[in-house]
């Protein structure tokens, strides 16, 4: 895609965000909701910019990112590994498919109390929840991408004397990369949501805990700031991931 095309895509993507901000401003300007419940966007963004220089706030944001990256990173490693293994081995595939059918539909937040009881209230339980929620989209995308690889590619590699294991990681993994990255992108969004939710439920730090603390003290401006912060982090991470995806998929046909 050309630079002009990318700029046009970004501009079009900004339109819904601007409309949402205009609606927010309209609701507050005409008193559809009292400022004690819905503060004006200018006050929220002003407070957000102010807190960007606060080491305490930045520490909470860093804690949230730490949990997010660990949970998401582990999900990528395990999901891609199991997906490729299931596609390459009928035995592993036969063992994994029933587990996926049973566990994938389960709302992982229902497991959070068990994670807290076994792993405690600190980082581990939240990382485990992010991992559990992010794992299945990556695993399923990897498996579907791997089994959809053109068989002639695998046969050609095997005919040239490449081992079965090496074929999986040099041919199948490479050919399945677009599907894998799509699963990772979905899981990254899920990870942002889940880490924030876990901190809201039980935590003494993180952006989610800041929201709960502000709500309990009826500090509505401060309550909206963590929402803006996690949204901004999500946009930044999504942009960084798209740049990484474009770099990794150089030479692949562009998707329409």
């Amino acid at each position: 895609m050309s630079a002009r095309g990318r700029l046009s895509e970004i501009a079009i993507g900004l339109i819904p965000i601007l409309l949402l901000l205009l609606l927010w401003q309209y609701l507050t300007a005409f008193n559809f909701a009292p400022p004690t419940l819905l503060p004006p966007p200018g006050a929220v963004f002003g407070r957000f910019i102010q807190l960007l220089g606060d080491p305490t706030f930045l520490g909470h944001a860093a804690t949230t990112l730490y949990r997010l990256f660990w949970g998401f990173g582990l999900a990528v490693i395990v999901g891609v590994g199991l997906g490729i293994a299931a596609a390459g081995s009928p035995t592993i595939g036969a063992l994994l498919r029933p587990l996926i059918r049973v566990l994938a539909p389960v709302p992982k937040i229902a497991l959070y109390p068990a994670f807290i009881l076994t792993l405690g209230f600190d980082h581990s339980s939240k990382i485990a929840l992010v991992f559990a929620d992010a794992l299945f989209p990556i695993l399923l995308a990897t498996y579907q991408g791997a089994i959809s690889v053109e068989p002639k590619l695998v046969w050609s590699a095997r005919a040239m004397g490449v081992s079965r294991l090496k074929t999986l990681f040099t041919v199948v993994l490479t050919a399945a990369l677009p599907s894998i990255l799509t699963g990772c992108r979905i899981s990254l969004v899920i990870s942002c949501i889940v880490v924030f939710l876990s901190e809201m439920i039980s935590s003494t730090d993180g952006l989610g805990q800041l929201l709960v603390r502000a709500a309990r003290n009826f500090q509505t401006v401060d309550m909206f700031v963590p929402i803006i912060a996690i949204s901004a982090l999500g946009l930044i991470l999504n942009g960084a991931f798209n740049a990484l995806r474009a770099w990794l998929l150089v030479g692949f046909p562009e998707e329409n």
Side-chain angles (χ1 to χ4, degrees):
M1 184 183 296
S2 65
R4 180 177 295 181
R6 291 187 184 278
L7 288 175
S8 299
E9 184 179 349
I10 292 172
I12 293 172
L14 288 175
I15 293 175
I17 298 175
L18 293 175
L19 290 175
L20 180 61
L21 291 174
L22 287 173
L23 176 62
W24 183 0
Q25 179 62 40
Y26 175 81
L27 292 175
T28 56
F30 289 91
N31 295 320
F32 283 95
T36 53
L37 295 179
L38 184 65
V44 174
F45 281 96
R47 179 62 172 159
F48 173 64
I49 294 172
Q50 179 186 357
L51 287 175
L52 287 178
D54 184 352
T56 302
F57 178 80
L58 294 178
H60 285 289
T63 298
T64 298
L65 284 174
Y66 175 83
R67 293 162 175 164
L68 187 153
F69 284 140
W70 266 105
F72 175 71
L74 289 173
V76 171
I77 294 170
V78 175
V80 172
L82 288 178
I84 293 295
S89 170
T91 302
I92 296 176
L95 290 172
L96 279 180
R97 280 191 293 272
L99 290 175
I100 293 172
R101 293 191 187 103
V102 171
L103 295 178
V106 174
K108 309 307 178 295
I109 194 66
L111 303 175
Y112 192 44
F115 290 153
I116 292 174
L117 289 174
T118 54
L119 300 173
F121 288 90
D122 205 7
H123 296 306
S124 299
S125 59
K126 294 160 185 61
I127 291 171
L129 182 62
V130 173
F131 167 79
D133 253 310
L135 173 64
F136 288 100
I138 299 172
L139 174 55
L140 291 170
T142 301
Y143 178 71
Q144 290 299 326
I147 63 175
S148 301
V149 172
E150 178 62 47
K152 291 179 181 179
L153 295 176
V154 179
W155 297 338
S156 298
R158 296 290 288 145
M160 294 174 64
V162 180
S163 67
R164 186 180 183 86
L165 182 62
K166 191 173 181 179
T167 300
L168 279 176
F169 286 96
T170 57
V171 177
V172 176
L173 179 62
T174 302
L177 195 56
S179 179
I180 294 171
L181 292 174
T182 298
C184 289
R185 185 178 181 181
I186 295 170
S187 289
L188 183 59
V189 175
I190 293 173
S191 298
C192 290
I193 297 169
V194 171
V195 71
F196 195 76
L197 181 61
S198 68
E199 291 174 348
M200 289 179 63
I201 295 174
S202 68
S203 184
T204 57
D205 48 16
L207 293 174
Q209 173 57 26
L210 287 183
L211 185 149
V212 173
R213 190 184 306 169
R216 287 173 179 168
N217 294 320
F218 299 98
Q219 298 171 330
T220 52
V221 173
D222 284 354
M223 185 181 73
F224 278 85
V225 167
I227 299 175
I228 300 299
I230 197 69
S231 299
L233 287 174
L235 285 173
I236 293 170
L237 291 174
N238 186 62
F241 185 84
N242 285 340
L244 175 64
R245 187 178 189 276
W247 178 69
L248 291 174
L249 295 185
V250 171
F252 281 81
E254 287 193 15
E255 297 180 357
N256 295 325

